[in-house]
Amino acid sequence: MKINIKKIAKLANLTLNSEEEVKFEKQLTDIVNYIDKLNEVNTTAVEPTAQVTGLVNVSREDNSAISSLNQEDALKNTKSKHNGLFKVKAILEEK
Amino acid sequence: MKYQPVIGLEIHVELNTKTKMFCRCSTKYFGEEPNTHTCPTCLGLPGALPYPNNQAIEDCAKIALALGCEITNFSYFERKNYFYPDLPKGYQISQYVGPFGHDGYLDIKSEVRNTKFETNSKSKISNSKRIRIRRVHMEEDTGKIIHQEVEGEKVSLLDFNRSGIPLVEIVTEPDITSGEEAKAFLTKLQRIIKYLGVSDADMEKGNMRLEPNISLLEISNSRPERSRRVKFRAAGIVSGDARPISNDKLPSYKVEVKNINSFRFVERAIEFEQKRQTEILERGEIPVQETRGWNETKNQTVSQRIKEEAHDYRYFPEPDIPPILLEQSVIDKLKHEIPELPDEKTKRFVKEYGLSEYNTQILTREKTTADYFETAVKEGQKFKIESKHIANEIINKKIDINQVLPAQLISQIREQKSNIQEKLTDEDKKIINDVICENDKAAQDYKNGKIQVLGFLIGMVNRKLQGKKINTNIIKQELENLLK
Amino acid sequence: MNIEELTIESLIKGYKDKQFSVTEIIKLHLERIKYHDKDLNSFITVTEKEALEEAVKKDKMLSNGNTDHPLFGIPIGVKDLFVTKDIKTTAASNVLKDFTPVYDATTVKRLKEAGAIILGKLNCDAWAHGSSGENSDFGPTKNPWHTDYTPGGSSSGSAASVAASFTLASTGSDTGGSIRLPASFTSTVGLKPTYGLVSRYGIIAMASSLDSIGHITKTVYDNAIILNVTAGTDGMDATVVPNKKTDYLKNIIKDIKGLRIGIPKEYIDKGLDADVKIIFKEAVKVFSRRGAQVEEVSLPHTEYAVACYYIIQPSEVSSNLARYDGIRYGNDRTFFGDEAKRRIMLGTFTLSSGYYDAFYKKAMQVRTLIKKDFEKVFENFDVLVAPVSPTLPWKLGDKVNDPLKMYLSDILTVSANLSGHPALSVPAGFSQDKNLPIGIQIIGPHFSEHIIYNVAYAFEQETLYYKQKPNLI
């Protein structure tokens, strides 16, 4: 199996240089060929396990709200802000 | 070539719970300072986890039930993975495989142009049409992006107060065929949601956001297959032109118009797209499958940069939240909590109170008005005041139901009534006689069987009475006696 | 007083008996860190000032006779994957090298409330991705027993710092062996609790359905003391199972006569280093001597565990690391190291359309089979005993260029994460030529930590390996 590294990197929001592309493509292909081993296992009629606790219906009542972070704390770790808002480069909305 | 619009709607409804979907932040952020209603969870801080709000889950199921959906008893949240600056975790907690509700419907009144009388284009036939609901699922809202210029540089600013507000997504099948129908559907949906009390459904506050997807289907002139029509007719589902289109017949492309915040704009966007796509198709081309936005000022849809080139959301079960089991007892409880919805209420009002369709529509538009009316009727019964009278009073006098209590309204009506004379004085009788003499032609017409002139004569009497109020029925009786 | 010999148990007693002040103890440990950690690199951040301030407060309480907290004045370290309010938390990644959280993880909060004093934040593989500690952007941690060797990962600093007696306990997280492997490589006691016993709230998520929040201590008894503090629901992590917490000290010293112990044959059949084989045989004898019934059992799907794990784990990783976009905090995604990039891309691939069924769904099904293997065995056995690692600690640098080889070092630990079972690593001896530590793990049914502690305590008291300490340079 071969990995389309460019496509995967884009989907994963990662930027790779061409050297990295070659390296990761090889490493990922090796790993994928290894994990492909699971195809040896017969899983007909086997239910998938997503969680192991067996819990269902864990929720809370919609009681009165707790106090939120203040604006200063919310923005404490950002490098780019403006008037209480996080600031990013313009996201092009329309062509 | 003729084209039939194939329209589906995606509607996002913000619920009005006290706290957010997965954290305990307040949802009352409207008009507040940015980034003051956030916590580690809704800000997507490292290490934070979601903890679901039961009220929101029940509200979502309630919407599904009100839309006649089947409920998925065992379902779970999933992660929808994509990158966008307003999505703090890089994924949205949503539902994919198992929405809380699926396969429901909403019947709307569809005004179909009467094709038999092409000459009279105003002639319309009002039909009931069923719009199928594909799914109703629960998810969380994103932050808000504000586009602005800061120090000469175009930037986007992010406010996460809205992040994590419980959001219900309602998706219809592509059963809608016009902007008008879309508007009718949305109006009715909004009414139902307001009746349920699960959302303020305030368009201006963005509580309801609309995304029509529109494409055009080439239609041949032959009649649609009979079997299909018969089948749906028999099921009482479809009449007239309203026929679901099977999936293999759907157009090969779909144009989505994102985040519209008014029903009128949805209607216009659909009409605009209809025109735009027709032109493209007539050139022998196929419209590009894309997401467009509605530009209010230009009154047209505009192409938007595509969010992520390859839409691959990589859904997988949300490991942080155990599955949700909606037990029958819960479903029964929710069903019990659903109030009488607009359709049933309208029918009942017509039947029970003998109101006109028109008046009923007005009274049932808001649940509070309908409830007000019924309280007043109960109060009025003590004094033998007719419900029609109360309805007229509320509608014509535009009673402010927040100011006047139902009991107050009834005493007002009684007061008016007590000023009305129930017997005629000799003087009154003279006036009536005079009117008949002065309007000889009308009197003759009446005698010749044109009884509708009675109304005119009553009017003339009232004018002569100069403000004196006499029960109309008594005047009518006297006139009839004299004209025998 | 010998700092190396201090345990939570003995220190609490010492405070009560006024043998020493809290400040004295904290200073001693801080000095030891200052002197020896330059070499070992087990801490990313040392919170000397805050620790000393806290010690002064505790001494005041001490003078008022108010020492009624289970961890009163106990110096601990916190893996840098646990968020700590106002203390820099990096996940050992450059992405978060300047990140200061605004809240405490539940476990951190509970440990503080129990009286523990945090000496700092511990090194680990960045984002807990790794088995050797070498994926840290802050340099590898060295094994106190032999500084050319890895202390194991990902909780490398957690294990090394306790082994070096910098602290008496440290927090860790175990997604595929990240507590047990380093505990085994440093002759310390490491618990991976049942999934759903300890809250994950505030621990930077690696793979959410696998992450177990545990800790490393010098002794089994100390380990149980910590679990008594950290276990139980918190209303923040929806996957914590209510009413499962118990008193983990209550039965710890019971004898284990008649206990049924299974040895999974797939764990010892092949691929074990000679030293590990010898040590494990000796360990089994100890249990027999103590009156336990030891029998071989089978977990037939063991050979698929690593493949299964390396689908589920990276898939969840790819999603969990999506929030690091540099907008609200931290640096942008170019700051991720190679291992994080690899796992993000691997997981993106295994979840992507067209591959989901072949990989992710298939892995979830195999996960069911692995879990059932355990459940079946536990119908007849109280616990399982197995080696933690098929090999001895390896030399730093040995596996860094071969990710797959590194992944395969988790071969004996990942199954318990896939199935959610609790497992404890306890010292079992040393290799003959290099004197490198070797541990064994005790695996039990869900929420059987009290039984595991009982078994481990019996073993520890018979073998006393915990009394051997590394010679620090």
Side-chain angles (χ1 to χ4, degrees), chain B residues 46-49, chain C residues 81-84 103-106 199-204:
Chain B
L49 295 172
Chain C
L81 210 64
F82 290 55
V83 303
T84 42
Y103 75 107
D104 273 331
T106 295
S199 169
R200 293 177 293 116
Y201 188 73
I203 288 96
I204 293 173

mmCIF file of all heavy atoms in Angstrom, chain B residues 46-49, chain C residues 81-84 103-106 199-204:
data_model
loop_
_atom_site.group_PDB
_atom_site.id
_atom_site.type_symbol
_atom_site.label_atom_id
_atom_site.label_comp_id
_atom_site.label_asym_id
_atom_site.label_seq_id
_atom_site.Cartn_x
_atom_site.Cartn_y
_atom_site.Cartn_z
ATOM 1 N N PRO B 46 -5.769 22.924 26.087
ATOM 2 C CA PRO B 46 -5.178 21.605 26.282
ATOM 3 C C PRO B 46 -5.749 20.944 27.545
ATOM 4 O O PRO B 46 -5.860 21.588 28.582
ATOM 5 C CB PRO B 46 -3.690 21.905 26.466
ATOM 6 C CG PRO B 46 -3.473 23.204 25.746
ATOM 7 C CD PRO B 46 -4.744 23.972 25.943
ATOM 8 N N GLY B 47 -6.106 19.677 27.416
ATOM 9 C CA GLY B 47 -6.547 18.898 28.573
ATOM 10 C C GLY B 47 -8.020 18.964 28.896
ATOM 11 O O GLY B 47 -8.518 18.157 29.674
ATOM 12 N N ALA B 48 -8.742 19.923 28.331
ATOM 13 C CA ALA B 48 -10.157 20.076 28.691
ATOM 14 C C ALA B 48 -11.002 18.994 28.023
ATOM 15 O O ALA B 48 -10.647 18.476 26.973
ATOM 16 C CB ALA B 48 -10.648 21.451 28.297
ATOM 17 N N LEU B 49 -12.127 18.657 28.662
ATOM 18 C CA LEU B 49 -12.987 17.590 28.165
ATOM 19 C C LEU B 49 -14.443 18.050 28.116
ATOM 20 O O LEU B 49 -14.844 18.922 28.878
ATOM 21 C CB LEU B 49 -12.895 16.364 29.096
ATOM 22 C CG LEU B 49 -11.553 15.645 29.185
ATOM 23 C CD1 LEU B 49 -11.591 14.597 30.291
ATOM 24 C CD2 LEU B 49 -11.202 14.990 27.856
ATOM 25 N N LEU C 81 2.578 16.840 30.992
ATOM 26 C CA LEU C 81 1.387 16.667 30.175
ATOM 27 C C LEU C 81 0.150 17.073 30.985
ATOM 28 O O LEU C 81 -0.939 17.192 30.445
ATOM 29 C CB LEU C 81 1.286 15.180 29.799
ATOM 30 C CG LEU C 81 0.634 14.786 28.484
ATOM 31 C CD1 LEU C 81 1.418 15.316 27.307
ATOM 32 C CD2 LEU C 81 0.522 13.268 28.393
ATOM 33 N N PHE C 82 0.347 17.252 32.280
ATOM 34 C CA PHE C 82 -0.739 17.639 33.183
ATOM 35 C C PHE C 82 -0.753 19.156 33.283
ATOM 36 O O PHE C 82 0.281 19.753 33.611
ATOM 37 C CB PHE C 82 -0.509 17.065 34.596
ATOM 38 C CG PHE C 82 -0.659 15.567 34.718
ATOM 39 C CD1 PHE C 82 0.078 14.714 33.911
ATOM 40 C CD2 PHE C 82 -1.516 15.020 35.662
ATOM 41 C CE1 PHE C 82 -0.037 13.327 34.044
ATOM 42 C CE2 PHE C 82 -1.649 13.642 35.795
ATOM 43 C CZ PHE C 82 -0.909 12.794 34.991
ATOM 44 N N VAL C 83 -1.900 19.792 33.019
ATOM 45 C CA VAL C 83 -1.894 21.248 33.096
ATOM 46 C C VAL C 83 -1.910 21.693 34.551
ATOM 47 O O VAL C 83 -2.554 21.099 35.417
ATOM 48 C CB VAL C 83 -3.041 21.932 32.301
ATOM 49 C CG1 VAL C 83 -3.010 21.529 30.839
ATOM 50 C CG2 VAL C 83 -4.399 21.659 32.916
ATOM 51 N N THR C 84 -1.115 22.736 34.800
ATOM 52 C CA THR C 84 -0.967 23.272 36.147
ATOM 53 C C THR C 84 -1.182 24.773 36.075
ATOM 54 O O THR C 84 -0.523 25.458 35.274
ATOM 55 C CB THR C 84 0.450 22.975 36.675
ATOM 56 O OG1 THR C 84 1.390 23.207 35.613
ATOM 57 C CG2 THR C 84 0.576 21.550 37.162
ATOM 58 N N TYR C 103 -5.822 26.739 34.426
ATOM 59 C CA TYR C 103 -6.514 25.845 35.367
ATOM 60 C C TYR C 103 -5.640 24.641 35.689
ATOM 61 O O TYR C 103 -4.646 24.385 35.018
ATOM 62 C CB TYR C 103 -7.865 25.399 34.785
ATOM 63 C CG TYR C 103 -7.795 24.355 33.681
ATOM 64 C CD1 TYR C 103 -8.165 23.046 33.930
ATOM 65 C CD2 TYR C 103 -7.368 24.691 32.396
ATOM 66 C CE1 TYR C 103 -8.123 22.078 32.928
ATOM 67 C CE2 TYR C 103 -7.325 23.735 31.392
ATOM 68 C CZ TYR C 103 -7.697 22.430 31.665
ATOM 69 O OH TYR C 103 -7.646 21.488 30.668
ATOM 70 N N ASP C 104 -6.035 23.928 36.761
ATOM 71 C CA ASP C 104 -5.329 22.723 37.187
ATOM 72 C C ASP C 104 -6.068 21.480 36.713
ATOM 73 O O ASP C 104 -7.303 21.421 36.769
ATOM 74 C CB ASP C 104 -5.290 22.655 38.729
ATOM 75 C CG ASP C 104 -4.098 23.399 39.315
ATOM 76 O OD1 ASP C 104 -3.053 23.488 38.633
ATOM 77 O OD2 ASP C 104 -4.218 23.890 40.456
ATOM 78 N N ALA C 105 -5.306 20.476 36.314
ATOM 79 C CA ALA C 105 -5.906 19.165 36.040
ATOM 80 C C ALA C 105 -6.538 18.647 37.330
ATOM 81 O O ALA C 105 -6.081 18.987 38.428
ATOM 82 C CB ALA C 105 -4.839 18.193 35.555
ATOM 83 N N THR C 106 -7.582 17.835 37.210
ATOM 84 C CA THR C 106 -8.249 17.287 38.401
ATOM 85 C C THR C 106 -7.263 16.599 39.339
ATOM 86 O O THR C 106 -7.273 16.839 40.546
ATOM 87 C CB THR C 106 -9.346 16.287 37.983
ATOM 88 O OG1 THR C 106 -10.359 17.006 37.279
ATOM 89 C CG2 THR C 106 -9.968 15.599 39.189
ATOM 90 N N SER C 199 -9.745 10.587 36.681
ATOM 91 C CA SER C 199 -10.154 11.608 35.707
ATOM 92 C C SER C 199 -9.012 12.007 34.783
ATOM 93 O O SER C 199 -7.880 12.213 35.211
ATOM 94 C CB SER C 199 -10.651 12.852 36.436
ATOM 95 O OG SER C 199 -10.808 13.924 35.518
ATOM 96 N N ARG C 200 -9.345 12.163 33.514
ATOM 97 C CA ARG C 200 -8.369 12.638 32.530
ATOM 98 C C ARG C 200 -8.439 14.150 32.362
ATOM 99 O O ARG C 200 -7.714 14.723 31.554
ATOM 100 C CB ARG C 200 -8.637 11.972 31.172
ATOM 101 C CG ARG C 200 -8.379 10.476 31.143
ATOM 102 C CD ARG C 200 -8.725 9.872 29.784
ATOM 103 N NE ARG C 200 -10.151 9.925 29.517
ATOM 104 C CZ ARG C 200 -10.710 10.627 28.530
ATOM 105 N NH1 ARG C 200 -9.970 11.311 27.691
ATOM 106 N NH2 ARG C 200 -12.025 10.644 28.385
ATOM 107 N N TYR C 201 -9.339 14.793 33.112
ATOM 108 C CA TYR C 201 -9.527 16.233 32.915
ATOM 109 C C TYR C 201 -8.246 16.997 33.239
ATOM 110 O O TYR C 201 -7.708 16.902 34.343
ATOM 111 C CB TYR C 201 -10.671 16.745 33.792
ATOM 112 C CG TYR C 201 -11.035 18.188 33.472
ATOM 113 C CD1 TYR C 201 -11.709 18.510 32.298
ATOM 114 C CD2 TYR C 201 -10.665 19.234 34.322
ATOM 115 C CE1 TYR C 201 -12.025 19.818 31.981
ATOM 116 C CE2 TYR C 201 -10.987 20.545 34.015
ATOM 117 C CZ TYR C 201 -11.666 20.825 32.840
ATOM 118 O OH TYR C 201 -11.972 22.126 32.523
ATOM 119 N N GLY C 202 -7.785 17.744 32.250
ATOM 120 C CA GLY C 202 -6.588 18.557 32.442
ATOM 121 C C GLY C 202 -5.292 17.856 32.077
ATOM 122 O O GLY C 202 -4.217 18.417 32.255
ATOM 123 N N ILE C 203 -5.380 16.625 31.596
ATOM 124 C CA ILE C 203 -4.181 15.974 31.078
ATOM 125 C C ILE C 203 -4.240 16.093 29.557
ATOM 126 O O ILE C 203 -5.230 15.694 28.931
ATOM 127 C CB ILE C 203 -4.083 14.498 31.515
ATOM 128 C CG1 ILE C 203 -3.745 14.432 33.004
ATOM 129 C CG2 ILE C 203 -2.964 13.779 30.763
ATOM 130 C CD1 ILE C 203 -4.849 14.269 33.916
ATOM 131 N N ILE C 204 -3.218 16.669 28.981
ATOM 132 C CA ILE C 204 -3.193 16.894 27.545
ATOM 133 C C ILE C 204 -3.404 15.548 26.853
ATOM 134 O O ILE C 204 -2.641 14.608 27.062
ATOM 135 C CB ILE C 204 -1.877 17.583 27.129
ATOM 136 C CG1 ILE C 204 -1.875 19.004 27.711
ATOM 137 C CG2 ILE C 204 -1.704 17.574 25.620
ATOM 138 C CD1 ILE C 204 -0.587 19.773 27.540
#
